[in-house]
Amino acid sequence: QVQLLESGGGLVQAGGSLRLSCAASRSISSINVMAWYRQAPGKQRDLVARIADGGRSYVADSVKDRFTIFRDNNKNTMYLQMNSLQPEDTGVYLCNALMYVEAAMRGYWGQGTQVTVSS
């Protein structure tokens, strides 16, 4: 029902900033929840932040003082602004979308974008 394409990752020094983008192939007004997950080598995929269609957002306690999630409905794009990056923030960041389709909530994933923070 939707294709997701992440961009904006890269290699930065500790203390730097990045803005990740997740572009959707359809109006994100029709997507109930969009979220960012992070997966580091040898670790589980963890929720970083999410935002609902009504605008209510959640950011994990470990990064809430540094990360902000927001979206631009006109561009069909969700963003994650990451400031004061630390080495522990390193990982593949994946975009996730949840949509209610014919009486079922369905999930979709992007391919991910690599974020590497050097010490």
Side-chain angles (χ1 to χ4, degrees), residues 3-6 22 45 93-97 108-113:
Q3 292 177 287
L4 306 170
L5 180 61
E6 303 96 330
C22 175
R45 185 175 297 176
Y93 284 72
L94 301 109
C95 180
N96 174 259
Y108 304 88
W109 292 95
Q111 293 297 308
T113 184

Side-chain angles (χ1 to χ4, degrees), residues 20-112:
L20 305 184
S21 299
C22 175
S25 62
R26 62 176 293 161
S27 172
I28 62 173
S29 297
S30 63
I31 301 176
N32 296 91
V33 181
M34 299 185 73
W36 287 100
Y37 286 77
R38 178 176 64 212
Q39 186 160 29
K43 293 186 176 295
Q44 66 180 2
R45 185 175 297 176
D46 293 326
L47 175 66
V48 178
R50 63 172 176 246
I51 185 166
D53 52 4
R56 176 175 290 185
S57 63
Y58 162 87
V59 182
D61 288 344
S62 61
V63 298
K64 67 178 182 180
D65 293 334
R66 300 181 291 115
F67 291 9
T68 303
I69 187 170
F70 61 100
R71 64 187 184 185
D72 186 338
N73 289 352
N74 292 328
K75 295 183 177 180
N76 293 330
T77 301
M78 176 188 65
Y79 303 91
L80 183 68
Q81 179 66 47
M82 304 185 295
N83 298 325
S84 301
L85 283 162
Q86 301 298 315
E88 56 264 33
D89 298 320
T90 293
V92 176
Y93 284 72
L94 301 109
C95 180
N96 174 259
L98 294 176
M99 298 178 59
Y100 187 72
V101 181
E102 296 184 349
M105 189 68 72
R106 303 182 184 276
Y108 304 88
W109 292 95
Q111 293 297 308

